[in-house]
Amino acid sequence: PRGGREERGEAQTGEGVTWLSRRPEEPVLLAELKPGRPQRYDWKSSCETWSVAFSPDGAWFAWSQGHCVVKLIPWPLEEAELCKTSERKSRGSKAEARSRGVAKEKTLECGQIVWGLAFSAWPVAEAGEADPACAVGLPCLILATGLNDGQIKVWEVQTGHLLFSLLGHQDVVRDLSFAPNGSLILVSASRDKTLRVWDLSRDGRQVQVLSGHVQWVYCCSISPDCSMLCSAAGEKSALLWSMRSYTLIRRLEGHQSSVVSCDFSPDSALLVTASYDACVIMWDPYTGEQLRTLRHVPLHSAVDYSSEVHTSSLRSVCFSPEGLYLATVADDRLLRIWALELRSPVAFAPMTNGLCCMYFPHGGFIATGTRDGHVQFWTAPRVLSSLKHLCRKALRTFLTTYQVLALPIPRKLKEFLTYRTF
């Protein structure tokens, strides 16, 4: 067959080829959506997209347009938008969609600049239960919005009804994260230097206030197994919390500048943090060990050491749904795709003023938000996970690092299961 491993871009460990079957293609821009003109809000209020979100089932996409407005868009985007065809064809497609009863775009007017977004499914109500969100027997989707005045407004997506206004934060609510297990536990991160835990199943009651940061909290992420919470602030360390006791587990120290973004792998076995120091650090959250550092080397300009924020300062990092890739957005106008086992990016795409990125829950796409209020949709590498990785992912979903190390299995297998074969 043509080409060796190097030409095909396969990754290799001591036991042979692991995951990649070929080098991924460069991300392609599929569509770019721009904010509408504000009506009764001042244009200067905000035009930055600090947060984008896909619903867990992949049926909806939300983005803050600036001007205190959130746009909800059914996914997938209409073919006319993805292919950027003529306006006439777009109108025709929309008319056809309406005739088929397809979900329509929605707009939520929040009254304040929107910084954070997070979706969650609302459990089906049983007969005899009073449910503020959904009719009995019907599941629904909710969206939490973190606002400039410290409020958190929670909306029912299908009707656009406001369900809760959560009060407690004293400054901007910068980020939001729902527990993935459907428990309706919501964590909020704020510029008031705290994180707050809310229980929407108990009428939005505030469960806990987490204090420990001394700077604005930029990001919060709950692990997929719902056991841990990571928070990133304008500090050189990230904090790891227990979601069971709401106590601090450890401080993750290793960055040389402010940590601004964090994300867990789908099996909760890895944690990545991104910093203004232009590095992503990959951690074992159970032991606190640094497994790998991914350095963002500028491709076309020198780093400006006169400022804390460098030309390659990171803004956002996220895992792909299968856990084999990372996406990062940096100030050097590049979207980078990283394979988990390699130290250099495997693909690049030029983008300007990127602030955030998120993978589509089923893979294949990445959404990015920009400083001018735009949102962009990119192709992402599609990969068929190896049986080895699927087994590891399944095991690590319920086994901690310490439990793996205690298993009576060969050392090399333990290293593989704990992601120490890079």
Side-chain angles (χ1 to χ4, degrees):
R2 275 186 64 192
R5 284 195 176 112
E6 184 177 353
E7 181 178 332
R8 296 198 305 271
E10 294 178 338
Q12 194 172 354
T13 67
E15 297 181 347
V17 175
T18 53
W19 305 315
L20 295 179
S21 61
R22 63 183 179 85
R23 191 173 185 83
E25 297 177 357
E26 301 296 320
V28 175
L29 181 62
L30 294 175
E32 182 170 6
L33 306 181
K34 301 178 182 180
R37 182 173 297 177
Q39 296 177 359
R40 57 181 176 274
Y41 299 117
D42 182 3
W43 175 263
K44 297 179 181 178
S45 62
S46 175
C47 60
E48 298 166 330
T49 301
W50 284 101
S51 182
V52 295
F54 286 103
S55 61
D57 62 0
W60 288 92
F61 175 78
W63 61 297
S64 166
Q65 290 191 293
H67 335 303
C68 316
V69 171
V70 171
K71 177 69 76 68
L72 286 162
I73 303 172
W75 190 271
L77 295 181
E78 293 182 15
E79 184 177 351
E81 288 179 306
L82 284 177
C83 298
K84 299 181 180 179
T85 53
S86 68
E87 185 179 349
R88 184 173 62 180
K89 182 176 179 181
S90 177
R91 287 199 299 267
S93 297
K94 290 181 179 179
E96 183 183 353
R98 284 194 295 270
S99 66
R100 294 196 310 265
V102 176
K104 300 177 183 179
E105 293 183 1
K106 301 176 187 297
T107 299
L108 302 177
E109 297 197 18
C110 299
Q112 290 282 329
I113 299 169
V114 181
W115 291 81
L117 298 169
F119 280 103
S120 180
W122 190 281
V124 177
E126 297 180 1
E129 290 185 351
D131 195 320
C134 302
V136 173
L138 296 177
C140 68
L141 186 68
I142 58 175
L143 175 70
T145 55
L147 307 181
N148 196 66
D149 63 355
Q151 279 193 84
I152 301 166
K153 290 186 177 181
V154 183
W155 311 78
E156 200 276 304
V157 169
Q158 197 62 39
T159 64
H161 290 160
L162 178 63
L163 301 177
F164 301 103
S165 289
L166 308 179
L167 304 176
H169 282 297
Q170 305 302 309
D171 208 335
V172 172
V173 177
R174 183 63 184 81
D175 195 24
L176 297 164
S177 182
F178 273 105
N181 60 3
S183 63
L184 296 178
I185 294 295
L186 173 67
V187 175
S188 54
S190 172
R191 284 185 179 176
D192 66 10
K193 305 173 187 176
T194 70
L195 298 113
R196 294 174 189 256
V197 184
W198 314 83
D199 188 347
L200 301 191
S201 69
R202 299 164 65 189
D203 297 322
R205 182 178 304 178
Q206 183 174 283
V207 176
Q208 194 78 29
V209 179
L210 305 182
S211 301
H213 287 291
V214 297
Q215 300 292 337
W216 293 351
V217 189
Y218 292 127
C219 182
C220 59
S221 179
I222 301 175
S223 62
D225 66 3
C226 298
S227 67
M228 295 171 285
L229 165 71
C230 183
S231 57
E235 305 157 13
K236 296 180 182 179
S237 58
L239 301 186
L240 193 65
W241 310 82
S242 168
M243 282 296 290
R244 298 186 176 96
S245 62
Y246 299 119
T247 56
L248 182 65
I249 299 174
R250 65 173 50 88
R251 209 174 269 274
L252 300 172
E253 299 180 338
H255 285 290
Q256 303 303 309
S257 188
S258 299
V259 184
V260 294
S261 183
C262 56
D263 195 25
F264 284 92
S265 62
D267 58 6
S268 304
L270 297 173
L271 170 68
V272 287
T273 55
S275 167
Y276 285 157
D277 64 10
C279 291
V280 169
I281 296 180
M282 193 178 299
W283 311 81
D284 184 321
Y286 295 102
T287 66
E289 180 182 351
Q290 294 185 35
L291 301 180
R292 168 162 295 192
T293 299
L294 306 178
R295 304 185 186 279
H296 287 62
V297 179
L299 298 184
H300 48 72
S301 61
V303 174
D304 178 13
Y305 289 100
S306 62
S307 169
E308 185 193 35
V309 181
H310 301 150
T311 56
S312 55
S313 292
L314 280 156
R315 292 291 173 179
S316 185
V317 61
C318 61
F319 265 100
S320 62
E322 80 292 323
L324 293 177
Y325 290 99
L326 292 171
T328 58
V329 170
D331 282 347
D332 62 357
R333 302 182 178 184
L334 287 174
L335 167 67
R336 290 174 171 85
I337 309 295
W338 307 74
L340 202 63
E341 75 284 2
L342 301 177
R343 293 185 182 273
S344 299
V346 296
F348 300 86
M351 64 171 299
T352 304
N353 298 326
L355 291 176
C356 59
C357 60
M358 175 172 280
Y359 268 92
F360 179 62
H362 307 309
F365 303 98
I366 297 172
T368 58
T370 70
R371 194 174 292 279
D372 53 11
H374 297 194
V375 63
Q376 300 166 326
F377 299 99
W378 306 83
T379 58
R382 287 188 178 274
V383 61
L384 183 63
S385 299
S386 68
L387 182 59
K388 285 170 59 177
H389 177 66
L390 290 174
C391 290
R392 171 171 58 186
K393 184 178 174 182
L395 287 170
R396 290 310 310 271
T397 298
F398 64 90
L399 290 179
T400 69
T401 300
Y402 296 113
Q403 290 171 326
V404 170
L405 295 177
L407 293 174
I409 55 177
R411 178 178 58 84
K412 286 188 176 182
L413 189 52
K414 291 181 181 180
E415 291 175 350
F416 175 75
L417 292 175
T418 58
Y419 291 90
R420 283 160 173 79
T421 55
F422 294 148

